[in-house]
Amino acid sequence: MIISLPASLGIGEKLSKILGLEHANTDYRIFPDGESYIKFTVSVKGKDVILIQTTYPNQDKRLIELLLAIDAAVFYGANSVSAIVPYMAYARQDRVFIEGEAVSIRTILRSLRSVGLDRIYVVDIHKENSLKYFNGAAYNIDPTPFFAKVLRNVISEPMVIAPDLGAERKAELLATLLNTEFVVIKKHRDKRTGEVRHELPETLDVRNKDAVIVDDIISTGGTVAKIAKYLKNLNARKVLVVASHGLFVGDALEKLKSSGVDRVYVLKTVDINISSEFVSILDPTELIAGRIRETFSSK
Ligand code: R5P
């Protein structure tokens, strides 16, 4: 049974049709003081329950709602509890950069497990290795083959660019699927100030090529804008961007446009509305359904 939580992005209903499963929404309220209230509208007793909730925006609130629902599903006798989290917040704080820091994603994944989550599905978590903090079945859904399919129809002579080492594996796979080369740009971050410096190669032959920047997330747009400017200066024919999660914080869209990006492709994994020709927002439901089919088994 699929249960859509308040930030399910409409994926739950579509997924239930694709997989032929029962679907229900939850009753959801916010008390005057800001606290969330969740109530199941159907019985989950004896069911393998799959909850759907993304966690942006508001990360903290959406995570609390997810915790409430997992705990309630266990309390009301679900046979197993799984969660599909299209965007997993806090994933970028995946280690100690400065002594004393909390490893946020470890806290989040341990908390989800501790209230009774058996299985978690996440779309393109920042580092797949973080899923080791979830002491249950954990699946990362990699959208790279899906992006490759979309891009094949709109590019010619591509070159794939990873804006940092973290995106190397993604760039390598995308380049293989597009039958082309890839380049990794090294990025250095000052741990204290957070300031970022890229080691941009002096020469890179992107003339008359479609450059494709691939990353997991666009937040402020700063990383991609920097690389896009560089590629335009080297006379790339087009600069396209594929990123799983488009948060587009503040003036990110303007920043990307003015840096020379021609088009951005993201998945609908976060709860924001953008209506701009400049951004293609792709539905991840089929991608998620495929992974559920491959991996799901009752407890
Ligand atoms: C960093 O490691 C991530 O993969 C992204 O490159 C980064 O978080 C993007 O952030 P922004 O859009 O703010 O530059």
Side-chain angles (χ1 to χ4, degrees):
M1 167 194 280
I2 296 183
I3 298 190
S4 292
L5 299 184
S8 72
L9 308 167
I11 292 174
E13 212 163 339
K14 282 184 260 165
L15 196 61
S16 69
K17 287 190 183 125
I18 294 173
L19 297 174
L21 298 174
E22 189 183 340
H23 174 260
N25 289 309
T26 41
D27 276 349
Y28 165 65
R29 260 191 285 153
I30 301 180
F31 288 111
D33 60 359
E35 291 177 1
S36 299
Y37 165 97
I38 295 278
K39 177 180 172 292
F40 289 143
T41 54
V42 289
S43 167
V44 296
K45 199 169 173 47
K47 300 275 172 85
D48 292 307
V49 171
I50 304 176
L51 304 168
I52 309 215
Q53 170 91 331
T54 197
T55 59
Y56 183 88
N58 164 339
Q59 296 90 322
D60 298 357
K61 193 163 206 45
R62 295 315 190 193
L63 282 166
I64 290 288
E65 289 159 6
L66 181 56
L67 285 164
L68 295 176
I70 296 165
D71 193 45
V74 173
F75 179 73
Y76 287 109
N79 179 55
S80 71
V81 188
S82 305
I84 296 169
V85 183
Y87 169 70
M88 178 49 99
Y90 287 100
R92 283 176 292 169
Q93 184 70 29
D94 60 343
R95 60 196 154 108
V96 172
F97 299 94
I98 301 171
E99 186 61 21
E101 287 177 344
V103 179
S104 312
I105 191 63
R106 182 177 61 201
T107 313
I108 302 299
L109 290 173
R110 284 182 175 175
S111 307
L112 294 171
R113 178 72 175 148
S114 73
V115 288
L117 188 64
D118 297 297
R119 230 179 265 111
I120 189 163
Y121 294 85
V122 180
V123 178
D124 200 6
I125 191 163
H126 179 61
K127 291 248 169 61
E128 193 163 356
N129 187 35
S130 305
L131 292 175
K132 68 179 180 224
Y133 296 126
F134 185 79
N135 184 20
Y139 304 96
N140 187 43
I141 302 172
D142 181 358
T144 311
F146 176 70
F147 278 132
K149 234 191 248 173
V150 173
L151 286 173
R152 254 184 230 123
N153 302 320
V154 293
I155 49 172
S156 61
E157 295 180 79
M159 171 167 314
V160 178
I161 318 286
D164 58 28
L165 268 174
E168 181 173 19
R169 199 205 52 78
K170 232 187 271 298
E172 186 177 8
L173 177 59
L174 188 61
T176 306
L177 294 170
L178 295 175
N179 201 15
T180 187
E181 303 161 74
F182 73 100
V183 172
V184 181
I185 310 271
K186 285 200 185 131
K187 177 168 95 177
H188 305 276
R189 188 184 295 270
D190 184 309
K191 286 185 181 167
R192 293 201 177 271
T193 61
E195 208 176 297
V196 165
R197 182 175 63 79
H198 283 97
E199 265 181 54
L200 300 171
E202 274 178 26
T203 53
L204 182 67
D205 193 4
V206 284
R207 272 169 310 162
N208 303 321
K209 290 190 179 160
D210 291 343
V212 180
I213 304 173
V214 60
D215 209 350
D216 59 326
I217 178 168
I218 296 171
S219 178
T220 65
T223 304
V224 166
K226 179 105 183 268
I227 309 289
K229 250 185 221 159
Y230 161 75
L231 294 167
K232 276 283 172 182
N233 282 336
L234 293 175
N235 295 317
R237 182 174 44 209
K238 269 200 240 167
V239 176
L240 304 176
V241 181
V242 292
S244 302
H245 315 291
L247 311 190
F248 302 114
V249 175
D251 64 350
L253 275 180
E254 286 66 40
K255 216 186 274 175
L256 294 174
K257 274 184 200 160
S258 62
S259 70
V261 171
D262 291 281
R263 199 173 181 98
V264 181
Y265 296 84
V266 291
L267 299 174
K268 175 84 184 154
T269 57
V270 297
D271 200 4
I272 57 169
N273 286 317
I274 290 182
S275 59
S276 161
E277 288 277 301
F278 178 62
V279 184
S280 294
I281 302 178
L282 310 168
D283 185 349
T285 311
E286 287 282 355
L287 199 62
I288 295 170
R291 200 74 175 112
I292 302 270
R293 269 198 215 99
E294 279 164 22
T295 56
F296 199 88
S297 61
S298 306
K299 206 161 47 170

